[in-house]
Amino acid sequence: MLMYLQGKIVTQKVVAPEYNLLVIEQPAIAKAAQPGQFVMLKAWERRDLVLPRPFSLYRILPREGQIQILYKIRGQGTAEMARRGAGEEVELIGPSGKGITLPATGAIALLGRGIGAAPLMAIAEAAKGQGLEVYTFLSARERSLLLGEEDFARYSRRVVTSTDDGQEGGGRLLTDLLVDIIEKESPSLQRVYTCGSRRLARGLIPLQARYGFIAYVLLEEHMACGTGACKGCVCKVKDPARPEGYSYQKVCQDGAVFPVGEVVW
Amino acid sequence: MEQAGNRPAVNLKGQAGGVPFNPHHQETAPGVNLAVEIAGLRLANPVLPASGTFGFGAEYAPFVELNRLGAIVVKTITLHPTPGNPPPRLTETYSGLLNSIGLQNPGLEVFIREKLPYLRQFTPPLIVNIAGRTIGEYAELAARLSEAAGVDALEVNISCPNVREGGIVFGTVPAMAARVTAAVKGNTPLPVIVKLTPNVTDITVVARAVVEAGADALSLINTLQGMAIDIDTRRPALASVVGGLSGPAVKPVALYNVWRVARTVKVPLIGMGGIMTARDAIEFLLAGATAVAVGTASLVNPGALMAIIAGLEDYLLDQGLADIRDLIGALEI
């Protein structure tokens, strides 16, 4: 059930150039949220910035009554967010979207590019808590922009990194690094989740049949309502029942998690 | 640091929008009348959701008491399923929202089979918004929705800026607007509300044409055509290039159009365009609207409709007024 609630900022800290971590106290959302879900957040009174903005959940802490949002300062909304401090209040709509369903046993892999690492952390934490093996793959332009490496290490059997400048992982594609691990360690890989790069998501499609896993992508799109009403945030999904062969599904309500093989890229 | 962890979550239902929402505020205060009449429909209050921003009602059930609305207005229905436009469909502009959804909807049959049974359980009148690619489609939609139990009025969308066929094409040419209106009127016993576009030289000409063709009420305004460009990619912000602008940015334009049309035709008007608060709604009533519709505000604050209803009542009490109808067209010049 979606809620519209006020949350209180516990802390906000800079974790990398242009990347902040916001900790918000909001017990009802922390209790209800599932990994892969997101919230709509508004942290300003400015009238020129109309809409709340969607943010994935980096960590969901029901016991503490907190949610954590890792975000990139990209536009005016996130710039305003970055100015808020402890004790200030924000408006939240959520938890939105369907979230993910973890396999009962075996291993999962997480492939995150840049800020795409954010929603994967909540998945890693839940998977580890359920006794699954987690393999994490992170990439970014350079080392300082690799996000959450230490946090991921707590929940992962392995964290593999790659940077475009070649300092990490020889700058190789995360899908290639994933194949290396599969070939070398033969984990019982059931599911792969990816976020932050369409190229990575597409790259997972042919690997599914070869290695027997199902891959899901967490999509981003501009949103207005976050509740399924406005039909603004759609993505194109294969739909054999339609004459066009596809239909537009709402990222906010039908996703934001979609099987990579069902999305029309 | 203050420990707020055990504090119960504050439900903001209806709180934003500038007017505090009082959850204990249940029924209209004694002696204060919020009810209005539009085209033979009795509305318990003059506050409606704007078509296209409220889905089919269920999306807002967690935030809004649907039985407290003046009426329920659902997203545009077309005869056949409409896939809608490619993404990106949205971009925010200063104080505004630019959209090009393209009337995505499951079509008439799915609406009647899957959406209408849910909507029938609520007491406010149900207004179904319709759009056709041809005059024949408008007529067929009108006929078939009139046979489906639970529909109380039709809102005829001749003003969508985001579809290639039909839509705004019918709304910008007065003779075409009149033909669509007459076709719908000829195929339904239900009250017919025609939704007008501001993207014309003179909205009063179209207003007069559709009223002469039988429109029982008018809704205005639909969105204003606009565009935005990403200068880094040199591409339009919307995949469809052009979209419709809504939100607080358009309110002065909407108010002006409502005021002009109110002085031109005798039928009741549903005013809309950038209404975020009860104060905004009151401006539209003063300009001559009998009811108001709230769109973009619900996307920002899903409880906005409730807040605006409560705010209207508070305004009446503060002003010592007994009847909201005393505000309609009460602008003093």
Side-chain angles (χ1 to χ4, degrees), chain A residues 26-58:
Chain A
Q26 191 2 272
I29 289 179
K31 200 173 159 196
Q34 298 298 317
Q37 288 191 301
F38 66 95
V39 293
M40 301 297 290
L41 180 148
K42 192 162 176 258
W44 49 86
E45 296 295 322
R46 283 171 56 171
R47 293 298 182 98
D48 58 333
L49 301 180
V50 181
L51 300 168
R53 308 290 199 253
F55 293 97
S56 65
L57 300 172
Y58 181 71

Side-chain angles (χ1 to χ4, degrees), chain B residues 272-328:
Chain B
M272 67 196 74
I275 295 175
M276 304 300 279
T277 65
R279 295 188 69 88
D280 294 335
I282 292 159
E283 287 189 58
F284 279 82
L285 297 176
L286 291 171
T290 298
V292 294
V294 176
T296 305
S298 291
L299 310 178
V300 181
N301 163 10
L305 284 153
M306 297 288 99
I308 290 170
I309 295 167
L312 289 182
E313 200 173 301
D314 291 344
Y315 178 81
L316 290 183
L317 291 168
D318 286 352
Q319 297 274 319
L321 293 171
D323 196 328
I324 196 141
R325 290 172 298 184
D326 293 340
L327 294 175
I328 299 167

Side-chain angles (χ1 to χ4, degrees), chain A residues 66-145:
Chain A
Q66 294 176 354
I67 54 171
Q68 297 188 359
I69 292 170
L70 178 66
Y71 68 98
K72 182 177 185 181
I73 302 166
R74 196 142 54 176
Q76 297 194 65
T78 45
E80 277 292 333
M81 256 171 93
R83 291 186 199 114
R84 302 286 95 84
E88 291 193 79
E89 298 202 315
V90 296
E91 289 173 31
L92 297 165
I93 301 169
S96 296
K98 285 193 165 149
I100 59 139
T101 311
L102 287 168
T105 56
I108 66 164
L110 308 170
L111 274 64
R113 165 86 188 165
I115 192 61
L120 304 180
M121 182 62 68
I123 300 175
E125 196 168 354
K128 168 87 174 176
Q130 210 180 287
L132 303 176
E133 274 184 357
V134 180
Y135 290 82
T136 299
F137 301 79
L138 302 173
S139 78
R141 223 166 49 236
E142 55 182 61
R143 217 178 251 163
S144 69
L145 300 176

Side-chain angles (χ1 to χ4, degrees), chain A residues 229-244:
Chain A
C230 77
K231 319 283 186 281
C233 64
V234 296
C235 64
K236 203 185 249 193
V237 173
K238 289 176 192 165
D239 188 348
R242 295 285 312 146
E244 302 88 353

Side-chain angles (χ1 to χ4, degrees), chain A residues 206-220:
Chain A
L207 302 182
Q208 298 183 102
R210 201 180 313 156
Y211 296 111
F213 61 76
I214 305 170
Y216 295 86
V217 59
L218 287 81
L219 289 178
E220 294 179 278

